[in-house]
Amino acid sequence: MSEKKKIYKPKPVSGFPEWLPEYRAVEQRWLDKIRAVFESYGYCSIETPAVEELEVIAAKGEDVDKEIYVLERLQADPDEKKDARLALHFDQTVPLARYVAQHFADLTFPFKRYQMQKVWRGERPQMGRMREFTQCDIDVINVDSLPLHFDAEVAAICYEALAAMDMGRVQLRVSNRKILLGLLENIGVKNPAEILRLIDKMDKIGLLEFKVQLEGTTEKEVKNAIIQFVELSNAVKENPSNASGLLRDFIARNDVIARSGSDAAIQMMNEGIEELDFVLKQLEHLGDGVVADLSIVRGLDYYTGTVYETQLLDVPEFVGSVCSGGRYDDLAGSYINKHLPGVGISIGFTRLFDVLRQAGKIEPGPKSPADVLVVLPSEERRDEAAQAARTLRERGMKVELYHAPQKVGKQISYAEKKGIPYVWFPPFEDGLAHEVKNMSTGEQTEASPNDWTI
RNA sequence: GCGACCGUAGCUCAGCUGGUAGAGCCCUCGGUUGUGAUCCGAGUUGUCGCGGGUUCGAGUCCCGUCGGUCGCCCCA
């Protein structure tokens, strides 16, 4: 009686992506390139644990709570309530804050670090949105004050990292929150969050729909000022090189601002304009890869100045940002009694990779890293084959030795399927020479493991 | 978390208004002796997501449930 084996049918867990070897190879190559660019600017690497105490993560507050995965044992002890609850981190900025506070005495400031790790968010997955994904973060943190220079530097680094991969045109869009926040405060907006969210959606919904949704949110005078700002924002988009001129002009002409404004608010706007101006000037060498875009707001409320988003111009079907960040006045205020301003930007690596993969923009790599497959002619000749493989490996090649003395055709077809470019034939009989076959041309020549090169 | 759609072999899917499962790909073997990608032949593979209901009979209809895709919220 043959009882049927119970099979648990494998299925993917939605939002937890995994790739086949040929795509994983590309992913690894890309990560190496990003790392190389980060390090070329002198940023160091750190890694923090996958989990933090829930208290630490929830310090960011509000509606990110619902995205946090908590960690617990299936069979928890009844008295385990006493222990701190653990949670998977949902970004790398909060762990960085904790890290900096914790190792404050041992770090050298400005602290420049990059971090490439998985993060987890309990969201409904869809195109470009996962529950587990890799982010490549780069941040600078300093004590008391942080030069504006870094706002430009981190953006330039990320742009360079993206350019190092073959992904078509990307555009980094920069704004400064002080401009919009100053304006809204200035004109006395009572529900800034709602307005900000709406402005952030401008690109997606268009000016017409924007005006419709703006109806009923606030009084007329304020509304007009906002619409004027959005029109200004569109004008800047059309003529990004004149961003600061357009902005200054806007303030000078706007009678709502002139009449009702508080000095502090106007000062904030001006500050924002100065800062944006400086950052854009520092990034001029990147051409139209970097533009001003006043409609960029960013949801996370700790950003206080410069903010960034990045679009893949050659994948129009995906409008989300693949690389975002900004400046925060005080990163670690909730963990240490120091003032630690910072600026950082994060490449949404998995999003970037998956969107490009689905758009057919990524050429898969070989299924094996090997350069050479050494054929095993027979058990009697295994030593000779293994020796040839060792010699080639010692000379720097990646070499796989076939595992069983099967028919030669089978061994070659294995190399073909795995994308191994060369097949090595040890002598099949005493006195014969080694041979090597180039799989793409089919050409086969005599060769010696001691001096053959690819 | 809310809404719409979907769930048949490892993969992509077919299965008409209910009558007890099929194709292509993949995989394995073969088309003699030491050479792949083509071609030809043969073969293996399914609790039709799960549970219940209607029916003489359900992959096919109904309910529930779980999973997936997309949209919204939000974001990398």
Side-chain angles (χ1 to χ4, degrees), chain A residues 18 38 102 122 181 190 264 276 287 291 304 339 403 412-413 448:
Chain A
E18 59 186 6
F38 286 173
Q102 191 156 334
L181 289 173
K190 298 185 193 80
L276 180 59
V291 296
T304 51
H339 184 227
H403 50 273
I412 290 177
S413 105
S448 159

Side-chain angles (χ1 to χ4, degrees), chain A residues 194-195 198-199 208-218 222-224 226-227 230:
Chain A
E194 195 182 342
I195 304 292
L198 206 52
I199 290 175
L208 228 73
E209 176 65 18
F210 176 85
K211 284 178 177 168
V212 171
Q213 293 196 22
L214 191 63
E215 281 306 318
T217 54
T218 182
V222 171
K223 209 152 46 194
N224 285 337
I226 291 168
I227 288 171
V230 167

